[in-house]
Amino acid sequence: MQFVLDCVTTLLIAVLCFFMLFQKYEIKKDHLILRITGIFGIIVVKTGIILLKIAPLNLFMSLVMCFAVIKLLYECKTRTALMYSFIYDIMTLVTDAFGVLFVSAFYGNTITETLGATDLIWHHHIWNWIMLLFLSRIISLFIRKNNNVNVRWYEFVFYIFLLLYEVIFFASVSSAIQDYMSGKFLIFLMLGFMILDICVMVIFNRISAARESEQRLRLMQQQEELQHQMYQELQKKYAETCKVAHDIKRHVSSLRSLIETNGSDDKAQKYLSELTEESDRLYPAIRNQNPMLEIILNTTMAKCKSSNIEFSMSIEDFEMPFISDMDMTTIFSNLFDNAIEACSEIAKSRRKIRIIMRAQMGLIVIKITNPCADFNISDIKLGRSTKKNHSGIGLSNVRKAVEKYEGIMNVKKENNMFCVSITFVNKI
């Protein structure tokens, strides 16, 4: 009977572990049957380990089972999945201990008497299941409330060591007093540990929220800087326009006098050609239906020209009104600035930036490529800069801006070419 009840508890733990993150993460739908089969295999191994009656091994297999359920079924980062697994594994240990302690305290038995009484097996298992349902619900609500978990590795290690210390301390005290005391003292001890753990989790949550706020502030500051840069470019263009417009009147007057004196000769034609060329500089070289993108493209082309970088485009001209000017600046200015900076570090003969932008099959696809020096692509994917004294905020902010519109951003390196691909659903 004990073994059967333990098997039911194991299955309940796996099911509750799944539902704990049900509305938090996307379920992996590829090879789902194979994934579920793998989880059932681990559950079978876990139930077999129960027969060995080795507590540390049983606890470890519970951790492995929880981690397998989370990692195989949900799109969850490994560190986050491991943290949730530790929390849930400790929770199952706590509920199991509570079940025995409640029954011991209620009947006035020692812990050893409760564990040895076959007629009380149902009692402490039922208490265990009730506590599992209750605490799983509490943890589930707490996890769903926190949209972003931003925990550093050293905080994660600290929390794991704290949980392990509590388990070892509780097991030592329980082993020392179980032959002559009931569970009342241990209930109070465990409640104290739970309050401590909740306080630590709340502190980590506040720290994580503060980090998210800091990242949003850095994004806003960078957007402000990029917008200011665009404003300066516009101001410079406006000053050039005013200068040319002021000179045009004088040129037109001189041209009229020249034609009246000499007629439409070669000299007048040359003057007219130079005047036309000068006035053409007022018009942007690149036209686009998105005003901010037009400014960014023209500014980038001017920067590339001054840095001896070939700038090639294959752009379909279509509107993207669903992207704000601020985010348009964040995405394209960051990517072009990074590309120009990467090109400045290589030989002039290799300097080339290419942008492709297409609207097809209800999607908007953007691809920017440029040659680059050698670097570790994993640094980029982890949000670290490949340049000295840089925080790597540029690509991180681009990714946040892209995901804001439910877009997908991919970064890869191939044959010393750095490529950023962005895909949006066309919402026009």
Side-chain angles (χ1 to χ4, degrees):
M1 180 61 69
Q2 175 74 40
F3 175 72
V4 174
L5 293 175
D6 286 338
C7 289
V8 173
T9 302
T10 300
L11 186 60
L12 180 63
I13 289 171
V15 172
L16 291 178
C17 185
F18 168 76
F19 281 105
M20 178 179 67
L21 303 175
F22 186 66
Q23 295 179 350
K24 176 71 174 180
Y25 297 101
E26 291 289 331
I27 296 177
K28 294 179 179 178
K29 296 180 181 179
D30 58 311
H31 309 295
L32 185 59
I33 301 298
L34 187 61
R35 294 176 185 276
I36 295 175
T37 303
I39 291 173
F40 270 107
I42 295 174
I43 292 174
V44 171
V45 173
K46 169 67 169 63
T47 54
I49 295 242
I50 293 174
L51 294 172
L52 300 177
K53 297 183 179 180
I54 303 175
L57 182 60
N58 190 31
L59 183 63
F60 176 74
M61 279 306 301
S62 295
L63 175 65
V64 171
M65 184 180 68
C66 293
F67 182 77
V69 169
I70 296 172
K71 195 61 182 174
L72 289 177
L73 295 182
Y74 290 109
E75 297 286 351
C76 182
K77 294 180 180 178
T78 300
R79 184 191 300 176
T80 306
L82 191 58
M83 183 180 70
Y84 288 149
S85 301
F86 262 102
I87 292 173
Y88 202 79
D89 193 30
I90 297 300
M91 185 203 75
T92 60
L93 184 65
V94 168
T95 56
D96 185 50
F98 260 127
V100 176
L101 297 178
F102 281 152
V103 173
S104 297
F106 182 80
Y107 287 101
N109 297 333
T110 64
I111 299 173
T112 302
E113 289 173 343
T114 301
L115 291 173
T118 56
D119 58 325
L120 296 178
I121 292 177
W122 273 99
H123 295 70
H124 62 73
H125 271 86
I126 290 174
W127 273 109
N128 184 9
W129 298 339
I130 292 173
M131 288 296 297
L132 272 175
L133 292 169
F134 175 73
L135 290 181
S136 293
R137 181 60 178 168
I138 297 298
I139 292 177
S140 176
L141 292 174
F142 182 82
I143 290 174
R144 292 173 190 174
K145 181 182 177 182
N146 298 279
N147 294 324
N148 296 299
V149 178
N150 191 351
V151 179
R152 298 288 189 266
W153 67 267
Y154 50 85
E155 296 170 348
F156 172 74
V157 171
F158 166 79
Y159 191 63
I160 297 306
F161 271 112
L162 177 63
L163 292 177
L164 290 176
Y165 172 79
E166 291 176 354
V167 170
I168 294 171
F169 181 82
F170 182 85
S172 300
V173 174
S174 176
S175 177
I177 68 173
Q178 65 181 359
D179 291 333
Y180 57 89
M181 289 186 65
S182 66
K184 293 181 181 178
F185 169 74
L186 292 179
I187 289 175
F188 285 111
L189 180 63
M190 190 172 290
L191 287 174
F193 282 158
M194 290 180 63
I195 292 172
L196 175 62
D197 293 336
I198 291 172
C199 290
V200 172
M201 290 180 66
V202 169
I203 291 172
F204 281 173
N205 177 52
R206 296 289 178 87
I207 294 173
S208 178
R211 287 200 185 100
E212 289 297 320
S213 299
E214 183 181 357
Q215 289 182 355
R216 285 194 295 269
L217 178 60
R218 291 168 66 190
L219 172 59
M220 293 175 62
Q221 288 174 339
Q222 195 211 35
Q223 287 178 328
E224 184 180 348
E225 291 171 0
L226 292 172
Q227 288 289 84
H228 181 66
Q229 184 182 22
M230 291 298 105
Y231 169 75
Q232 288 179 323
E233 295 293 337
L234 283 175
Q235 195 174 41
K236 181 180 177 181
K237 194 71 176 178
Y238 176 73
E240 291 177 359
T241 302
C242 290
K243 179 181 177 182
V244 174
H246 179 267
D247 291 342
I248 280 179
K249 291 184 178 180
R250 179 169 53 83
H251 290 310
V252 170
S253 178
S254 299
L255 180 60
R256 185 182 294 113
S257 299
L258 184 61
I259 293 174
E260 289 175 354
T261 304
N262 301 326
S264 183
D265 58 3
D266 292 341
K267 189 175 182 179
Q269 289 295 333
K270 183 180 179 181
Y271 200 157
L272 179 60
S273 177
E274 290 175 353
L275 178 60
T276 302
E277 185 179 344
E278 183 71 14
S279 63
D280 285 343
R281 291 199 304 110
L282 297 176
Y283 294 94
I286 304 170
R287 303 302 298 270
N288 193 275
Q289 294 187 54
N290 303 282
M292 183 55 66
L293 180 57
E294 179 180 302
I295 295 169
I296 295 171
L297 289 172
N298 281 281
T299 301
T300 301
M301 187 175 68
K303 289 180 179 178
C304 288
K305 187 176 181 180
S306 64
S307 302
N308 295 315
I309 300 172
E310 181 183 344
F311 184 58
S312 63
M313 297 174 295
S314 179
I315 297 177
E316 293 180 1
D317 192 7
F318 51 85
E319 290 184 312
M320 293 188 289
F322 59 92
I323 301 179
S324 69
D325 287 346
M326 188 75 79
D327 291 321
M328 189 81 74
T329 304
T330 298
I331 295 169
F332 287 97
S333 289
N334 267 311
L335 294 179
F336 284 135
D337 286 348
N338 286 347
I340 291 172
E341 189 166 353
C343 286
S344 66
E345 298 175 353
I346 61 177
K348 292 183 179 180
S349 59
R350 294 180 54 214
R351 296 179 181 179
K352 181 178 181 179
I353 298 173
R354 178 170 177 78
I355 175 173
I356 299 173
M357 196 159 74
R358 297 275 187 271
Q360 53 191 14
M361 299 178 64
L363 299 175
I364 294 174
V365 181
I366 302 163
K367 185 177 181 180
I368 299 176
T369 57
N370 61 272
C372 58
D374 191 28
F375 64 88
N376 190 350
I377 190 65
S378 61
D379 289 339
I380 297 291
K381 293 180 178 180
L382 292 173
R384 295 194 290 261
S385 175
T386 60
K387 301 181 284 290
K388 292 182 179 180
N389 301 320
H390 282 69
S391 62
I393 189 176
L395 281 177
S396 175
N397 283 346
V398 172
R399 191 178 297 278
K400 287 181 181 294
V402 169
E403 291 175 351
K404 178 179 177 181
Y405 300 96
E406 300 178 350
I408 300 173
M409 173 178 164
N410 289 314
V411 178
K412 67 178 181 179
K413 175 194 173 188
E414 188 173 353
N415 297 327
N416 287 326
M417 292 293 292
F418 183 70
C419 176
V420 178
S421 300
I422 297 173
T423 305
F424 293 108
V425 175
N426 195 343
K427 299 180 180 180
I428 299 177

